[in-house]
Amino acid sequence: MQEVPDKPLRHGYTTGSCATAGAKAALLALIEQAPQALVHIRIPIGETVEFVLHSCSFTPLWGEAAVIKDGGDDPDATHGAEIIVRVSFRAEPGVGIDGGVGVGRVTKPGLPVEVGQAAINPVPRKMIRETVQEVLDQYEIEHGVDVLVSVPAGEEIAKKTLNGRLGILGGISILGTRGTVVPFSTAAYKASVAQAIRVAVKCGCDQLVLSTGGRTEIYGIQMYPELPEEAFIEMGDFVGFALTQAQRQGIRKITLVGMMGKFSKVAQGVMMVHSKSAAVDFEFLAQVAIESEAPDELVADVRGANTASQVGDMMAAQGYLRYFERLCERCNLAGLAEVGRDGFDRIETVIISMKAELLGKSAMVKSSGNGEMGYE
């Protein structure tokens, strides 16, 4: 099946780049005792970019600058957020970096920042430190500075992110490895999924429940109430990526929870299930209906359906629940094909309806005898 290419999307800048620009402007305002209108910074991919300041103020003791984050065409919860950086001199050399209001604190292991520290990732810390040091060197200033990054709306924005599940409390993370935001189909969400899996592993999880969204995650939690919250991860559209990351990090048991639309694609081996990535193959769904011994008239209806969800409604209404079991079986096989037959000891797929009712499930487990995967 050919994938439909996404049209080019406009790149934006990470929270880390915005914080770096704010830090440079705030330090210049403090040194020069003059407001700054714009600054240029060098981002990790090697480009020098310009930031226009939203505001800039100063006193003899500190400088402060604000940048409004432009996420480009990335559907990022932090797009439009005000990132405020205050810089003040300190007696000892070096650059101290901390988070203020709206920047989260790390409370769980498995993240690139130690427990107890502000959730400002290593690359943004490096950017801020190097940029600030360049300014200090330029003005031949030998003592150090403290940099405080705040995001006034950060605590509210964080409710739309995975931060709570990751153990980042009180606000957002200051992120970015490139300096630019790569639009949705690539890095931003994947990074969150990979990080969530690392946290789960560090917290001792050997089973993950990977869901495509909020309702499916809630269903997974109801299925496995004994599992810790770190075990439940919203993988979104990135099924193949999530499975590969889980396998590489040593997870042995996987449960996939989703609905007809996305899992009808997984069943035929499509591992990136965004609506623009691949169309629903109604001929494939009709073939599964034939294998489920559906009558010819119903098979014809499947071929003529408009959505995969409509197909699910048809099959459920007429009681062909074996249909959903077969789809789940195919999802399991597709998942194993993605990571290798020895990738997991157990893989389970669950398909639910839009009303969060079970339509079908199937599990495959590794035999203790010959090590082959078979149906549970």
Side-chain angles (χ1 to χ4, degrees):
M1 178 182 297
Q2 286 188 330
E3 293 193 352
V4 180
D6 290 340
K7 66 179 181 180
L9 299 176
R10 185 174 66 88
H11 285 51
Y13 295 103
T14 62
T15 48
S17 291
C18 294
T20 301
K24 182 174 183 177
L27 179 55
L28 287 170
L30 172 60
I31 294 170
E32 298 177 359
Q33 288 292 285
Q36 308 295 307
L38 57 85
V39 292
H40 292 85
I41 66 166
R42 188 172 179 82
I43 59 176
I45 59 173
E47 296 177 4
T48 297
V49 296
E50 179 180 280
F51 282 81
V52 175
L53 282 305
H54 178 62
S55 66
C56 186
S57 58
F58 58 91
T59 74
L61 299 178
W62 51 260
E64 187 173 278
V67 174
I68 302 298
K69 187 196 169 186
D70 177 4
D73 286 329
D74 187 57
D76 188 330
T78 60
H79 177 70
E82 182 183 30
I83 297 173
I84 301 174
V85 185
R86 177 172 288 199
V87 176
S88 55
F89 287 128
R90 67 181 189 184
E92 60 271 26
V95 180
I97 301 171
D98 203 358
V101 172
V103 174
R105 290 271 157 189
V106 175
T107 66
K108 293 179 181 179
L111 298 173
V113 177
E114 292 183 8
V115 171
Q117 291 190 354
I120 303 173
N121 272 19
V123 172
R125 285 178 183 268
K126 183 173 184 286
M127 288 173 64
I128 293 170
R129 186 173 292 111
E130 291 180 350
T131 300
V132 165
Q133 191 61 54
E134 284 177 7
V135 175
L136 293 173
D137 293 344
Q138 178 187 344
Y139 284 83
E140 298 182 354
I141 295 171
E142 294 185 1
H143 50 256
V145 296
D146 286 317
V147 178
L148 185 69
V149 182
S150 301
V151 184
E155 190 164 5
E156 192 62 30
I157 294 170
K159 295 175 182 177
K160 303 174 185 177
T161 72
L162 295 174
N163 276 18
R165 186 62 50 78
L166 295 172
I168 299 171
L169 304 182
I172 66 167
S173 305
I174 304 300
L175 303 172
T177 55
R178 294 170 44 90
T180 58
V181 175
V182 179
F184 174 66
S185 58
T186 52
Y189 200 90
K190 283 184 176 181
S192 295
V193 171
Q195 200 164 70
I197 294 171
R198 283 195 293 273
V199 169
V201 171
K202 287 286 186 180
C203 290
C205 299
D206 67 349
Q207 176 179 355
L208 296 184
V209 179
L210 304 176
S211 59
T212 52
R215 279 178 291 181
T216 50
E217 182 182 59
I218 290 170
Y219 192 90
I221 292 170
Q222 293 170 346
M223 282 183 65
Y224 291 102
E226 73 278 8
L227 293 180
E229 65 172 359
E230 293 84 9
F232 301 94
I233 296 172
E234 285 190 38
M235 63 181 169
D237 297 322
F238 300 102
V239 180
F241 177 80
L243 288 171
T244 300
Q245 288 292 311
Q247 188 270 333
R248 287 177 179 173
Q249 295 190 48
I251 297 294
R252 302 308 304 166
K253 301 174 185 177
I254 288 288
T255 295
L256 302 172
V257 188
M259 298 183 188
M260 269 294 294
K262 296 183 187 298
F263 276 17
S264 67
K265 298 177 184 180
V266 175
Q268 54 190 308
V270 176
M271 289 289 147
M272 199 297 179
V273 294
H274 190 271
S275 59
K276 294 180 181 178
S277 297
V280 173
D281 186 342
F282 292 99
E283 187 58 44
F284 167 78
L285 294 181
Q287 180 58 41
V288 178
I290 292 170
E291 294 172 7
S292 305
E293 301 180 350
D296 292 345
E297 182 179 347
L298 184 53
V299 172
D301 288 341
V302 169
R303 287 195 175 98
N306 292 318
T307 66
S309 294
Q310 184 184 7
V311 172
D313 291 342
M314 291 175 185
M315 302 304 290
Q318 298 202 32
Y320 286 93
L321 298 184
R322 174 62 179 147
Y323 181 80
F324 302 103
E325 291 176 14
R326 291 195 72 85
L327 283 177
C328 290
E329 289 168 3
R330 293 194 179 212
C331 288
N332 291 336
L333 292 171
L336 291 174
E338 186 74 6
V339 301
R341 295 288 295 187
D342 294 327
F344 301 116
D345 293 336
R346 185 178 190 274
I347 184 168
E348 174 184 42
T349 299
V350 179
I351 296 178
I352 66 172
S353 70
M354 296 289 285
K355 296 179 180 179
E357 297 169 339
L358 178 66
L359 293 175
K361 65 179 179 179
S362 174
M364 296 182 71
V365 296
K366 185 173 290 185
S367 168
S368 58
N370 56 19
E372 291 294 317
M373 296 294 289
Y375 293 106
E376 192 173 55

